[in-house]
Amino acid sequence: MLTNKLIAARAGLAALVAAGTLATTLPAAQAEGTVNIYSYRQPFLIKPLLDAFTEKTGIATEVLFLDKGLEDRIAAEGSNSPADVILTVDIGRLMNAKEKSITQPVEDETVNSEIPSEFRDPEGHWFGVTTRGRVVYASKERVEQDTITYEELADPKWKGKICMRSGQHNYNIALFASMIAHHGEEKAEEWMKGLKANLARKPSGNDRAQAQAIYAGECDLGIGNTYYVGLMINNEKEPEQKDWAASMKVLFPNSKDRGTHVNISGMAMAKHAPNRDNALELMRFLGSAEAQSIYAETNYEYPVLPGATVSETVQSFGQIKPDSLPLAEIAKNRKAASEMVDRVGLDDGPAS
Amino acid sequence: MTLQPAPTAPLREHRFPRVRGERHRAARLGSLIIALAVMLPVATILFVALSGTGEAWPHLLRYVLPQSLGTTLILLGLVAMGTAFIGVGSAWLVVGYEFPLRRLLSWALVLPLAVPTYLAAYAFGEFFHYVGPVQTALRAVFGFESARDYWFPDIRSTWGAALVVTSVTFPYVYLTARVVFLMQGRNIADVARTLGARPARVFFRILLPVARPAIVAGLALVMMETLNDIGAVEYLGVRTLTLSVYATWLNRGSLEGAAQIASVMLVIVFLLLTAEQWARRKQRFHSARGTQMHVRPPRLPLRGFKGILATGALGLPILSGFGIPLFVFVRYVSKRLYQFADPQVLQAFLTSVTVASITAIATVVIALLLLNAMRLSRSPYTMALVRLASIGYALPGTILGLGLLLSLAAIDNTVDSAARTYGGFSTGLLLTGTAASIVIACTIRFLALAESAVRSGLEKLPPNLDQAARSLGKTANQSALAVLLPLLKPAILTAAILVFVDTVKELSATILLRPFGFRTLATHVYENASRGVVEDGAVAALLIIATAIVPVVLLSRPLMRDHNT
């Protein structure tokens, strides 16, 4: 019977703690000097930026990190939503937010002067703050060539040598959407079939896992984002990742013609932002030289601010020439790309 | 000690000849309201599914569903076989035999439940990877140079996912099967044995059929858990229906299409459950004497090599479902001990324990109320309703969370606009984005666990106990409180353990619904893992496992005392 008392005591204690928790976690919708951020970007990634912002402006930040359904949550909350600013990766998600009518247009000279027009929505519904290239990781040992094109990934000479993460992942969907934009659906599908035939294994894991697979000798080429390489090279806690990165080189595809496919991480102002002025302050800050250099140095991303410096690690990969096709054009083909991945059965791997 | 012949369906046994003047209106109305409230998110998802067009279907039917339905069924089949074999086998060994370390193993077998599937998938991936300990050792022994020199099965496959899911979900079957073996397996087995049947024959001809309802209940939980998993299949690259739900929703921007696929999943589950009920409509097993739960059944000793073999056989699933994840995360944590002092981790720990405790109590109470209404009601509709109420467990957590979010926000905004119109003030969002919404979500999500565990216990109780109380002039509810509740203690404790543990592990609904600054251990792990740095979430991962162990150990002891196991 002692256990019963114990359980009862614990329940009582829990209820007390809960009452406290509930009281302190009510949504702080409108507070003087606060900005509420709904973010698809990881907290540890944006924390240095937000700390710098608070130090500079005195405006406190509240972050809500979500992995899925951010747009749906803001839409459901409606006019009572506490969200001021939306932070996310992937052009598709930014456009999706605009389409769902959860953003509002921002016309601000400062923001517009910081962010080049190719990285923002013509109506001001979203702004890119960093870019990253979707590049080819190639084994130093087993791959001799130092240039490559996306088209070449379908060449039978790479049969059984390519690794990648799921074709349905945002980053790959955007890459395939850019292939559709450049070559049309029919040709892009032929290409995707060729790519599938060249896979070494079923698409799985994340971008870093592809580097690990090259190190392990499972494949010679991997598809991944630029900043992962920076993170691996400088990983002091798991030094074996330095070995993974050291076993491969970064090839910027199509640098001799149209350029490498880049995607953005970006920001948007929520439609019913209760703290509009503070939100605007934050948006101006994220485009500023100070914030742009933090992005570059801590996360190895490319800043969008003209003239901002790239981290030394990233410079060591070589010069990136971004594909000049407008991102909005690419994003239009996302649904077609996603359906193509199903049709081709890319995620079933090479055997099927 | 005789078997009682009673040719009706299990719970119907617990209905009584109506006593004049008793209508149980309050109980039935109350349970109806609870059931409807619990169904709110599921109903919302169905509503979203119906509000969409069928435009996604030609594509889905041609290119997506055949493949992902096939993969899902194969995965379910493999996991069902694996968990049934391990769960029933280990329950039988632990209850029926005596061998070295038996007591320790009997509760250690529950430990894998403490490991969330997404973390197990990650740990298995690391453990069996090329640079992991297994393959590194292989290369050292055989002198291989690279991955091309030898063949090693790939964990990133359907069988790999089945291995991972089986390793951490078999305790559901173990727990439900063990309760049955404890509550009644022995006496009929003894009868069979005195008539000269050998142990194997006794097991297959008598005990297995008797335990079938409970085993199926455990398997149903495993199946639902497998269906709603997204973390493991995503990480291992296994294309299941759940993965299609997310691809349709996130990449093609069609929430309606996603809700439609999810509804198909629900229909499959509902049909399975109904078929199972129908299949055993003519079977009844319950012990003739409720008191025999306190009889100490003699265990057959396994001596020498056989005993060691039994110990080893039970050690394997524990090593796989608990040892491997522990090994992987402890290795990361050893480089990050300073994280234990991180105030964020401590805060997350307290939040997790609080939410899980409240959820466990709320869920068990609701399950008891619903089952009591079923006991009193004469209608099959009440049964169907309770079944429906707990079906949300089969939905992916994010989808269920989304259903709740949409309905709560709609209610909040309706109240707010009414207040603005008639009262001239704004109530804002009362429930949406509060910690309360997370408790509600977890309660709804894990009702199936509590309902299943308590029901297994209730079906084991002989109805004449209740009838005796009633014939002595007690009302139905008095009898429930005074007679049935104390006897159900083991089942209730099991239910509370399951819900607590699963709430601590819960990630997807929590992450979608939580307020600013709300951090549980699971969300903390996820925040660190979401960019491929699971290593940094290892401390929180270990804490999840440790937190989940506490109630398992605490509540297993009274369970054992009750049955002297």
Side-chain angles (χ1 to χ4, degrees):
Chain A
M1 284 307 103
L2 178 74
T3 340
N4 280 356
K5 277 185 190 152
L6 219 151
I7 292 171
R10 282 183 46 190
L13 183 74
L16 279 176
V17 180
T21 320
L22 294 186
T24 53
T25 50
L26 287 170
Q30 261 174 296
E32 203 56 47
T34 308
V35 60
N36 297 327
I37 301 152
Y38 279 28
S39 171
Y40 268 140
R41 307 220 66 191
Q42 294 77 12
F44 74 93
L45 200 71
I46 53 178
K47 193 177 180 305
L49 290 152
L50 299 181
D51 288 350
F53 171 70
T54 305
E55 195 166 314
K56 194 174 165 185
T57 60
I59 299 169
T61 57
E62 286 279 5
V63 184
L64 186 67
F65 167 67
L66 292 108
D67 65 329
K68 294 179 179 88
L70 183 152
E71 304 91 338
D72 300 275
R73 176 159 170 179
I74 296 180
E77 286 169 343
S79 58
N80 284 311
S81 174
D84 292 312
V85 175
I86 300 164
L87 293 181
T88 175
V89 294
D90 186 45
I91 175 66
R93 284 185 151 168
L94 288 164
M95 308 233 344
N96 192 18
K98 181 185 172 182
E99 280 161 24
K100 274 190 107 97
S101 313
I102 56 168
T103 57
Q104 58 174 303
V106 172
E107 266 305 323
D108 183 74
E109 273 182 31
T110 316
V111 178
N112 285 353
S113 68
E114 288 164 342
I115 295 163
S117 60
E118 66 259 40
F119 296 123
R120 59 173 197 253
D121 176 52
E123 292 162 16
H125 279 274
W126 51 261
F127 300 84
V129 286
T130 64
T131 69
R132 61 283 297 283
R134 193 95 184 125
V135 294
V136 171
Y137 303 163
S139 163
K140 277 182 187 165
E141 249 178 61
R142 299 182 298 274
V143 177
E144 285 186 12
Q145 59 192 73
D146 285 320
T147 59
I148 203 161
T149 63
Y150 294 115
E151 289 73 16
E152 199 186 315
L153 295 175
D155 186 325
K157 76 173 176 185
W158 297 116
K159 191 167 174 55
K161 295 204 160 63
I162 300 177
C163 283
M164 60 185 283
R165 78 193 300 166
S166 163
Q168 287 291 4
H169 191 275
N170 272 333
Y171 298 154
N172 282 334
I173 290 291
L175 171 62
F176 301 150
S178 86
M179 292 302 282
I180 295 174
H182 284 294
H183 298 289
E185 279 216 42
E186 209 172 311
K187 267 194 159 166
E189 188 154 345
E190 280 307 307
W191 171 82
M192 196 182 285
K193 284 177 184 160
L195 173 65
K196 173 184 151 121
N198 286 343
L199 290 174
R201 58 176 196 189
K202 252 172 49 167
S204 64
N206 53 23
D207 283 1
R208 228 184 275 225
Q210 316 314 315
Q212 192 185 25
I214 291 174
Y215 169 75
E218 285 175 276
C219 37
D220 294 352
L221 300 180
I223 300 173
N225 281 351
T226 39
Y227 56 84
Y228 284 106
V229 189
L231 290 167
M232 287 186 287
I233 289 175
N234 297 298
N235 195 328
E236 297 305 328
K237 286 192 191 128
E238 305 298 333
E240 65 264 29
Q241 295 198 1
K242 293 183 178 183
D243 298 341
W244 307 352
S247 73
M248 57 174 239
K249 51 192 175 185
V250 177
L251 303 183
F252 290 104
N254 300 70
S255 41
K256 292 215 168 68
D257 47 72
R258 67 171 184 268
T260 301
H261 165 69
V262 295
N263 204 328
I264 53 174
S265 79
M267 60 189 176
M269 190 179 293
K271 190 175 186 175
H272 301 285
N275 310 296
R276 203 175 174 284
D277 296 349
N278 295 347
L280 192 58
E281 277 303 312
L282 178 65
M283 290 173 87
R284 286 174 181 161
F285 175 78
L286 291 180
S288 72
E290 185 183 350
Q292 290 284 304
S293 82
I294 296 176
Y295 270 127
E297 290 300 330
T298 56
N299 197 31
Y300 311 105
E301 294 180 84
Y302 292 104
V304 293
L305 180 74
T309 50
V310 178
S311 94
E312 274 181 35
T313 306
V314 177
Q315 278 175 359
S316 71
F317 310 154
Q319 197 59 34
I320 187 169
K321 174 187 167 188
D323 183 346
S324 58
L325 188 77
L327 288 166
E329 280 302 306
I330 293 172
K332 276 183 199 157
N333 295 307
R334 277 174 88 238
K335 184 164 178 268
S338 172
E339 289 181 348
M340 190 180 289
V341 171
D342 286 339
R343 259 201 316 275
V344 172
L346 186 69
D347 281 353
D348 298 338
S352 67
Chain B
M1 293 263 185
T2 51
L3 255 187
Q4 182 166 333
T8 45
L11 262 162
R12 290 188 198 166
E13 268 309 295
H14 285 274
R15 300 186 201 165
F16 321 98
R18 206 172 269 200
V19 178
R20 191 182 287 264
E22 267 193 2
R23 293 237 178 257
H24 308 304
R25 273 211 197 93
R28 286 163 68 181
L29 189 69
S31 69
L32 183 74
I33 291 168
I34 293 173
L36 288 176
V38 167
M39 281 173 66
L40 194 64
V42 178
T44 308
I45 289 300
L46 293 173
F47 177 76
V48 171
L50 292 173
S51 70
T53 57
E55 65 169 63
W57 281 85
H59 172 86
L60 289 175
L61 283 173
R62 193 161 163 199
Y63 299 111
V64 181
L65 292 183
Q67 193 275 347
S68 59
L69 187 64
T71 305
T72 303
L73 291 177
I74 292 170
L75 183 67
L76 286 174
L78 288 172
V79 171
M81 284 190 293
T83 50
F85 179 73
I86 298 172
V88 176
S90 54
W92 175 235
L93 274 177
V94 162
V95 174
Y97 296 91
E98 190 55 68
F99 48 87
L101 302 180
R102 193 195 59 83
R103 284 191 68 116
L104 172 77
L105 290 169
S106 76
W107 67 259
L109 278 161
V110 186
L111 292 180
L113 268 193
V115 184
T117 20
Y118 54 95
L119 289 179
Y122 181 85
F124 272 65
E126 290 294 294
F127 194 75
F128 291 110
H129 192 268
Y130 176 82
V131 291
V134 177
Q135 290 200 49
T136 307
L138 274 179
R139 284 196 301 276
V141 173
F142 294 103
F144 296 129
E145 291 292 318
S146 87
R148 290 161 199 250
D149 297 348
Y150 63 104
W151 179 85
F152 193 83
D154 191 0
I155 192 81
R156 296 169 187 268
S157 60
T158 309
W159 82 262
L163 176 71
V164 169
V165 176
T166 301
S167 297
V168 294
T169 56
F170 78 83
Y172 287 125
V173 182
Y174 165 73
L175 279 171
T176 47
R178 187 176 69 157
V179 166
V180 177
F181 291 149
L182 282 173
M183 281 170 92
Q184 75 145 45
R186 298 285 321 185
N187 47 359
I188 45 170
D190 291 342
V191 171
R193 232 177 257 114
T194 54
L195 296 171
R198 303 197 132 274
R201 192 177 155 86
V202 172
F203 179 75
F204 285 106
R205 294 296 301 277
I206 299 191
L207 289 166
L208 215 50
V210 166
R212 205 182 76 170
I215 294 168
V216 169
L219 276 178
L221 294 179
V222 171
M223 299 291 90
M224 289 190 184
E225 178 88 37
T226 310
L227 268 180
N228 73 36
D229 165 75
I230 177 74
V233 292
E234 194 173 43
Y235 183 78
L236 299 170
V238 179
R239 287 177 63 195
T240 57
L241 281 170
T242 310
L243 215 53
S244 310
V245 168
Y246 284 112
T248 306
W249 172 33
L250 300 170
N251 292 335
R252 299 202 268 279
S254 170
L255 180 58
E256 292 81 7
Q260 286 161 357
I261 305 175
S263 306
V264 170
M265 288 163 63
L266 284 184
V267 169
I268 295 172
V269 172
F270 193 71
L271 287 177
L272 283 175
L273 292 175
T274 314
E276 190 274 324
Q277 285 270 297
W278 183 81
R280 55 189 183 96
R281 70 198 179 284
K282 289 216 162 55
Q283 292 186 333
R284 285 290 291 111
F285 299 103
H286 48 67
S287 42
R289 289 175 46 203
T291 50
Q292 66 120 31
M293 283 190 293
H294 302 283
V295 171
R296 181 172 193 145
R299 272 185 295 271
L300 304 174
L302 292 173
R303 294 203 174 80
F305 180 67
K306 272 190 179 171
I308 294 164
L309 202 66
T311 308
L314 293 188
L316 265 182
I318 301 171
L319 278 179
S320 168
F322 189 70
I324 291 176
L326 203 66
F327 173 84
V328 169
F329 290 115
V330 165
R331 227 176 32 159
Y332 287 135
V333 167
S334 61
K335 300 178 190 171
R336 294 173 175 76
L337 289 173
Y338 60 89
Q339 276 195 16
F340 280 109
D342 182 352
Q344 280 194 350
V345 171
L346 189 69
Q347 184 209 341
F349 171 76
L350 287 175
T351 308
S352 278
V353 172
T354 309
V355 170
S357 307
I358 299 171
T359 305
I361 293 164
T363 312
V364 170
V365 168
I366 288 178
L368 286 169
L369 287 173
L370 288 177
L371 285 165
N372 188 42
M374 257 163 91
R375 206 181 58 118
L376 300 174
S377 157
R378 304 172 148 268
S379 85
Y381 299 110
T382 319
M383 302 237 182
L385 198 64
V386 174
R387 262 284 127 97
L388 270 175
S390 60
I391 207 170
Y393 190 50
L395 277 178
T398 308
I399 300 295
L400 187 79
L402 204 59
L404 189 67
L405 172 73
L406 295 173
S407 41
L408 286 184
I411 294 169
D412 281 348
N413 281 316
T414 310
V415 170
D416 179 64
S417 65
R420 282 173 199 251
T421 312
Y422 302 110
F425 62 95
S426 162
T427 55
L429 299 171
L430 294 171
L431 281 171
T432 313
T434 63
S437 69
I438 293 172
V439 173
I440 296 171
C442 290
T443 302
I444 291 172
R445 217 184 143 192
F446 301 134
L447 185 63
L449 295 170
E451 193 257 355
S452 171
V454 176
R455 179 209 291 258
S456 300
L458 192 61
E459 287 180 352
K460 287 264 90 50
L461 293 180
N464 47 13
L465 282 179
D466 210 356
Q467 285 154 1
R470 306 290 307 276
S471 67
L472 294 168
K474 297 287 180 197
T475 67
N477 287 328
Q478 280 172 327
S479 139
L481 283 173
V483 180
L484 298 180
L485 213 52
L487 289 174
L488 280 175
K489 203 176 100 179
I492 290 172
L493 285 179
T494 304
I497 293 178
L498 291 177
V499 176
F500 181 96
V501 170
D502 254 27
T503 309
V504 171
K505 294 190 297 185
E506 211 289 329
L507 173 68
S508 28
T510 308
I511 217 165
L512 178 69
L513 296 165
R514 66 192 174 148
F516 287 109
F518 186 91
R519 182 177 287 103
T520 66
L521 290 170
T523 64
H524 187 80
V525 174
Y526 186 84
E527 287 183 6
N528 286 301
S530 52
R531 217 186 30 167
V533 222
V534 178
E535 303 90 331
D536 282 323
V539 168
L542 275 189
L543 276 174
I544 289 180
I545 296 169
T547 311
I549 289 174
V550 172
V552 166
V553 175
L554 258 183
L555 299 184
S556 293
R557 285 167 59 189
L559 276 182
M560 287 189 214
R561 252 211 317 280
D562 270 358
H563 310 295
N564 301 306
T565 58

